[in-house]
Amino acid sequence: MKTKISISWATTILIIFFLILFALPLQSCQKRALDLEQVSAEERIVIKFSHVVSEQTPKGMAARRFAELVHERTNGHVEVQVYPNSQLYMDGEEIDALINNNIQIIAPATAKMTEYFPELFLFDLPFLFEDYNQVHQFIDSAEGQMLLSRLTTQGIVSLAMWDNGFKVMTANRPLHKPSDFKGLRFRIMPSRVLDAQFVQLGAMARDLPFSDVYAALERGMVDAAENTPSNIYTKKFFLVQDHLTISDHGYLGYLVLTNEKFWSSLPPDIRLILDETMAEVTAWEREIAIEQNKRDMEMIIASGQIKIYHLSEVEKEFWKEALLPVYAMFVNQIGEELLRAVLHNRY
Ligand code: LMR
């Protein structure tokens, strides 16, 4: 009897010993395995990032860089899948897809979100910002940050604001003075400010998804458009228009948006990596957006496929004068205080 007890006692000690020796380190090994690349399909977090432009644009490159850095920093635990060129969803579809969590990040132009957030009409006002610096100073200011933090609706939250750049005009006739716009049909993004801008110039505005613009210009369904050099170059709009006026009359930027429920369901350590990476990529994107637009404008000029006109400062003043009434039309939707702050500080 005594022998039996002492044997089972010894066995218990042995089991505990083996447990300490092998099982516990094994457990921490498994934990480490998660950090070290061997992540199974079930353990991986997939984030679908959908956008409408080419990969060779500031937004396209920033989305790719975000995906690469996130992969590196989470050791493959988080996979950001980027779908450019309206591959998954086009304008008008991607917001619903985000609300339904079919995709987790989108980066639409602020103009395309004005229906949800009328304050964003601000960014569409003609000649409000003179250069990238003024835009950045506003976005980074207390007013700008407050505006971004207010942008939540139907479970959507904003993560950042990214640049594209300053828009120029393209048309099938030269555009030098306000009266040159008379009767032209312009493709616009869905924003009532952009509509008012062209109506004010005696033109007509037609809201079309970005993916339809090339065909609409080529087939003459519209006569003209406004966009940034990077979009005009990468989507070849310069091949289906005869004239380009360098007017820099308006800013085009993006809201990087996510589904709040999805974002807040992420493990805190992962979310921290994503937030930090987003901030870093946003700073990087600001740099490359300037360079890319400059390079693409040079490529358009070098192609010799479209007549380029540099609007003089005097001519610009005539455009500004013609477009001034647009400010008064939208001051209430934007908020007088916000508009005053921008105009007064000119950031
Ligand atoms: C457009 O529709 O012209 C732009 O918003 C496309 C984009 O995302 O830059």
Side-chain angles (χ1 to χ4, degrees):
M1 184 70 176
K2 202 173 176 202
T3 332
K4 215 173 164 189
I5 288 173
S6 62
I7 285 173
S8 72
W9 176 243
T11 315
T12 312
I13 291 186
L14 260 178
I15 290 170
I16 291 172
F17 180 71
F18 273 103
L19 258 176
I20 291 171
L21 205 66
F22 298 111
L24 292 181
L26 192 73
Q27 208 184 34
S28 77
C29 233
Q30 276 167 349
K31 212 170 182 183
R32 257 184 294 139
L34 200 71
D35 294 340
L36 293 174
E37 203 71 50
Q38 282 105 39
V39 179
S40 70
E42 302 82 61
E43 286 164 336
R44 232 167 6 133
I45 296 170
V46 173
I47 295 178
K48 291 189 174 146
F49 186 154
S50 167
H51 67 80
V52 299
V53 292
S54 150
E55 295 215 273
Q56 300 310 316
T57 55
K59 176 164 61 180
M61 289 192 288
R64 286 266 302 277
R65 188 170 176 90
F66 179 69
E68 282 158 17
L69 290 177
V70 166
H71 178 88
E72 210 175 286
R73 291 170 185 179
T74 63
N75 293 310
H77 188 47
V78 180
E79 188 191 340
V80 180
Q81 299 174 349
V82 182
Y83 297 91
N85 294 312
S86 313
Q87 246 170 45
L88 268 192
Y89 296 100
M90 55 185 224
D91 286 333
E93 296 174 343
E94 57 178 24
I95 295 160
D96 282 343
L98 185 71
I99 291 170
N100 295 323
N101 199 28
N102 295 330
I103 44 179
Q104 289 69 40
I105 302 184
I106 59 173
T110 53
K112 294 172 187 172
M113 296 304 294
T114 50
E115 183 192 326
Y116 299 85
F117 312 115
E119 298 114 298
L120 292 176
F121 282 137
L122 179 86
F123 290 103
D124 293 332
L125 287 176
F127 298 109
L128 179 64
F129 297 109
E130 274 162 23
D131 54 34
Y132 284 93
N133 265 344
Q134 285 190 357
V135 177
H136 297 160
Q137 279 170 17
F138 166 65
I139 293 168
D140 298 341
S141 71
E143 287 93 350
Q145 289 300 301
M146 206 138 74
L147 170 63
L148 288 192
S149 71
R150 280 202 302 269
L151 306 181
T152 64
T153 181
Q154 299 180 55
I156 294 178
V157 283
S158 81
L159 296 172
M161 199 165 158
W162 285 357
D163 281 331
N164 186 327
F166 284 82
K167 293 176 286 184
V168 299
M169 299 283 190
T170 61
N172 56 15
R173 78 156 84 121
L175 297 173
H176 301 178
K177 46 190 192 308
S179 58
D180 296 334
F181 286 77
K182 214 173 172 62
L184 287 181
R185 295 162 302 166
F186 272 82
R187 177 269 168 173
I188 57 162
M189 296 182 276
S191 159
R192 282 186 287 125
V193 170
L194 301 179
D195 183 81
Q197 169 184 273
F198 288 111
V199 170
Q200 196 59 32
L201 293 168
M204 286 162 283
R206 184 139 177 230
D207 156 21
L208 288 175
F210 186 62
S211 50
D212 292 356
V213 177
Y214 180 90
L217 289 171
E218 190 188 29
R219 292 179 199 153
M221 287 155 63
V222 287
D223 313 297
E226 55 167 9
N227 225 310
T228 58
S230 66
N231 279 342
I232 293 171
Y233 182 65
T234 54
K235 288 294 174 190
K236 300 189 167 52
F237 301 156
F238 68 104
L239 296 180
V240 287
Q241 294 270 263
D242 300 324
H243 297 271
L244 185 155
T245 300
I246 302 180
S247 47
D248 295 331
H249 61 277
Y251 169 76
L252 170 55
Y254 306 112
L255 284 179
V256 185
L257 302 168
T258 189
N259 179 302
E260 186 177 23
K261 212 162 159 193
F262 166 78
W263 204 253
S264 55
S265 75
L266 293 169
D269 53 342
I270 295 285
R271 209 168 53 226
L272 184 68
I273 294 175
L274 295 180
D275 284 335
E276 285 176 357
T277 307
M278 182 57 74
E280 187 184 317
V281 170
T282 300
W284 179 83
E285 204 262 354
R286 283 184 177 184
E287 302 290 321
I288 62 144
I290 299 175
E291 286 165 26
Q292 190 68 43
N293 276 302
K294 193 165 165 275
R295 227 181 355 253
D296 287 345
M297 193 65 231
E298 285 162 7
M299 295 300 281
I300 294 169
I301 295 171
S303 77
Q305 299 288 323
I306 187 164
K307 285 199 184 65
I308 309 289
Y309 187 74
H310 291 259
L311 202 64
S312 73
E313 285 309 312
V314 174
E315 285 165 327
K316 218 178 235 187
E317 288 307 315
F318 288 123
W319 287 37
K320 285 183 184 174
E321 203 181 308
L323 291 167
L324 200 58
V326 178
Y327 281 60
M329 289 178 208
F330 291 91
V331 62
N332 288 340
Q333 283 101 317
I334 293 167
E336 201 177 325
E337 222 172 287
L338 184 62
L339 184 55
R340 239 182 238 287
V342 177
L343 286 170
H344 182 69
N345 296 321
R346 270 302 173 123
Y347 291 96

